[in-house]
Amino acid sequence: MSRLTAIGTVCLLGTATLAMAHSGVTNPAVMARMESMKGMQDSTKMLGAMLKGTVAFDAEAAREALHDIAQHAAETPDLFTAREMDPKSEALPVIWEAFEDFVEKSDALQSLATVSAQSLAGEDDLQTVMTQLGAACKDCHARYRE
Protein backbone atom coordinates (compact mmCIF):
# COMPACT_ATOMS: atom_id res chain seq x y z
CA MET A 1 0.00 0.00 0.00
CA SER A 2 1.42 3.40 -0.91
CA ARG A 3 1.90 6.08 1.73
CA LEU A 4 -0.76 8.17 -0.01
CA THR A 5 -3.28 5.34 0.17
CA ALA A 6 -2.38 4.69 3.80
CA ILE A 7 -2.83 8.34 4.74
CA GLY A 8 -6.18 8.44 2.95
CA THR A 9 -7.34 5.31 4.72
CA VAL A 10 -6.36 6.67 8.14
CA CYS A 11 -8.21 9.91 7.44
CA LEU A 12 -11.37 8.09 6.33
CA LEU A 13 -11.36 5.71 9.29
CA GLY A 14 -10.83 8.59 11.66
CA THR A 15 -13.76 10.47 10.14
CA ALA A 16 -16.14 7.53 10.54
CA THR A 17 -14.96 6.91 14.10
CA LEU A 18 -15.37 10.54 15.16
CA ALA A 19 -18.79 10.84 13.56
CA MET A 20 -20.03 7.83 15.51
CA ALA A 21 -18.25 8.86 18.70
CA HIS A 22 -19.87 12.32 18.87
CA SER A 23 -23.35 10.83 18.86
CA GLY A 24 -24.72 10.64 22.38
CA VAL A 25 -21.83 12.29 24.27
CA THR A 26 -23.23 13.90 27.40
CA ASN A 27 -20.07 15.13 29.16
CA PRO A 28 -19.29 18.71 28.00
CA ALA A 29 -15.55 18.35 28.68
CA VAL A 30 -15.38 15.20 26.57
CA MET A 31 -17.39 16.88 23.82
CA ALA A 32 -14.97 19.82 23.81
CA ARG A 33 -12.05 17.40 23.42
CA MET A 34 -13.80 15.58 20.59
CA GLU A 35 -14.60 18.84 18.81
CA SER A 36 -10.96 19.91 19.02
CA MET A 37 -9.80 16.57 17.63
CA LYS A 38 -12.41 16.91 14.86
CA GLY A 39 -10.92 20.31 14.01
CA MET A 40 -7.50 18.73 13.61
CA GLN A 41 -9.00 15.94 11.57
CA ASP A 42 -10.79 18.35 9.23
CA SER A 43 -7.55 20.23 8.57
CA THR A 44 -5.68 16.98 8.01
CA LYS A 45 -8.37 15.79 5.59
CA MET A 46 -8.05 19.00 3.60
CA LEU A 47 -4.28 18.55 3.37
CA GLY A 48 -4.82 14.92 2.36
CA ALA A 49 -7.20 15.99 -0.41
CA MET A 50 -4.53 18.37 -1.72
CA LEU A 51 -1.96 15.59 -1.58
CA LYS A 52 -4.23 13.19 -3.48
CA GLY A 53 -5.06 15.87 -6.04
CA THR A 54 -8.81 15.85 -5.38
CA VAL A 55 -8.44 19.49 -4.32
CA ALA A 56 -6.04 21.86 -6.03
CA PHE A 57 -2.94 22.65 -4.01
CA ASP A 58 -3.20 26.05 -2.33
CA ALA A 59 -0.12 26.95 -0.29
CA GLU A 60 -1.93 29.55 1.81
CA ALA A 61 -4.81 27.18 2.61
CA ALA A 62 -2.30 24.45 3.48
CA ARG A 63 -0.43 26.80 5.81
CA GLU A 64 -3.74 27.81 7.41
CA ALA A 65 -4.64 24.15 7.96
CA LEU A 66 -1.26 23.53 9.57
CA HIS A 67 -1.71 26.55 11.84
CA ASP A 68 -5.14 25.17 12.79
CA ILE A 69 -3.60 21.81 13.67
CA ALA A 70 -0.96 23.60 15.76
CA GLN A 71 -3.64 25.59 17.59
CA HIS A 72 -5.66 22.48 18.42
CA ALA A 73 -2.53 20.63 19.52
CA ALA A 74 -1.66 23.55 21.81
CA GLU A 75 -5.06 23.40 23.52
CA THR A 76 -5.06 19.60 23.88
CA PRO A 77 -3.28 19.40 27.27
CA ASP A 78 -5.72 21.88 28.81
CA LEU A 79 -8.67 19.93 27.43
CA PHE A 80 -7.39 16.76 29.08
CA THR A 81 -6.25 18.22 32.41
CA ALA A 82 -9.47 17.15 34.12
CA ARG A 83 -9.98 13.40 34.24
CA GLU A 84 -13.35 13.54 32.50
CA MET A 85 -14.86 10.47 30.86
CA ASP A 86 -17.96 9.58 28.89
CA PRO A 87 -19.10 6.16 27.66
CA LYS A 88 -18.57 7.43 24.09
CA SER A 89 -15.06 8.72 24.76
CA GLU A 90 -12.18 7.05 22.96
CA ALA A 91 -9.64 8.48 25.40
CA LEU A 92 -7.87 5.83 27.44
CA PRO A 93 -7.26 6.33 31.19
CA VAL A 94 -3.52 5.92 30.60
CA ILE A 95 -3.57 9.58 29.45
CA TRP A 96 -3.71 10.68 33.08
CA GLU A 97 -1.27 8.02 34.25
CA ALA A 98 1.34 9.25 31.73
CA PHE A 99 0.18 12.84 31.39
CA GLU A 100 3.69 14.25 30.95
CA ASP A 101 4.28 11.99 27.93
CA PHE A 102 0.84 12.88 26.57
CA VAL A 103 1.69 16.60 26.82
CA GLU A 104 5.07 16.00 25.15
CA LYS A 105 3.34 14.30 22.21
CA SER A 106 0.89 17.18 21.93
CA ASP A 107 3.74 19.71 22.09
CA ALA A 108 5.63 17.77 19.41
CA LEU A 109 2.59 17.89 17.11
CA GLN A 110 2.16 21.61 17.75
CA SER A 111 5.83 22.24 16.94
CA LEU A 112 5.74 20.06 13.83
CA ALA A 113 2.63 21.79 12.49
CA THR A 114 4.01 25.26 13.24
CA VAL A 115 7.39 24.57 11.62
CA SER A 116 5.70 22.90 8.65
CA ALA A 117 3.41 25.89 8.14
CA GLN A 118 6.41 28.23 8.15
CA SER A 119 8.55 26.10 5.84
CA LEU A 120 5.93 24.85 3.36
CA ALA A 121 7.26 26.19 0.07
CA GLY A 122 5.16 24.26 -2.39
CA GLU A 123 3.22 21.17 -3.30
CA ASP A 124 6.36 19.02 -3.26
CA ASP A 125 6.68 19.58 0.51
CA LEU A 126 3.20 18.24 1.23
CA GLN A 127 4.10 14.53 1.08
CA THR A 128 6.79 14.95 3.72
CA VAL A 129 4.52 17.09 5.91
CA MET A 130 1.68 14.57 5.73
CA THR A 131 3.99 11.65 6.49
CA GLN A 132 5.31 13.45 9.56
CA LEU A 133 1.83 14.51 10.71
CA GLY A 134 0.54 10.97 10.27
CA ALA A 135 3.40 9.60 12.35
CA ALA A 136 2.81 12.16 15.12
CA CYS A 137 -0.92 11.42 15.23
CA LYS A 138 -0.32 7.67 15.23
CA ASP A 139 2.28 7.99 17.99
CA CYS A 140 -0.29 9.51 20.31
CA HIS A 141 -3.35 7.54 19.20
CA ALA A 142 -1.55 4.19 19.51
CA ARG A 143 -1.13 4.70 23.24
CA TYR A 144 -3.89 7.05 24.31
CA ARG A 145 -6.94 6.28 22.15
CA GLU A 146 -9.17 3.23 21.79
Side-chain angles (χ1 to χ4, degrees):
M1 178 184 310
S2 74
R3 283 185 190 254
L4 184 57
T5 303
I7 290 168
T9 301
V10 168
C11 289
L12 289 175
L13 289 175
T15 301
T17 301
L18 276 177
M20 290 176 16
H22 282 105
S23 176
V25 173
T26 58
N27 184 311
V30 172
M31 180 58 85
R33 295 189 317 229
M34 290 175 140
E35 290 297 324
S36 182
M37 295 295 156
K38 173 113 174 47
M40 274 195 268
Q41 180 187 51
D42 290 345
S43 293
T44 302
K45 280 177 53 179
M46 195 267 298
L47 292 169
M50 285 185 196
L51 183 62
K52 290 187 284 187
T54 56
V55 172
F57 177 77
D58 177 336
E60 188 55 38
R63 285 186 201 100
E64 194 173 304
L66 289 163
H67 283 299
D68 185 61
I69 292 167
Q71 178 184 344
H72 286 294
E75 72 187 17
T76 296
D78 288 340
L79 291 171
F80 282 87
T81 300
R83 187 176 217 155
E84 299 276 346
M85 292 300 287
D86 186 282
K88 297 286 186 170
S89 176
E90 295 178 335
L92 294 173
V94 71
I95 288 171
W96 297 281
E97 295 164 16
F99 197 70
E100 187 175 306
D101 180 64
F102 179 77
V103 171
E104 286 174 10
K105 289 179 185 331
S106 181
D107 290 348
L109 177 60
Q110 177 189 6
S111 178
L112 172 64
T114 299
V115 168
S116 296
Q118 293 167 350
S119 65
L120 186 74
E123 190 170 2
D124 292 341
D125 297 332
L126 201 51
Q127 175 69 51
T128 301
V129 167
M130 289 299 289
T131 299
Q132 292 172 338
L133 283 175
C137 292
K138 183 179 178 181
D139 187 37
C140 191
H141 288 181
R143 182 164 187 202
Y144 299 115
R145 180 179 158 206
E146 286 183 16

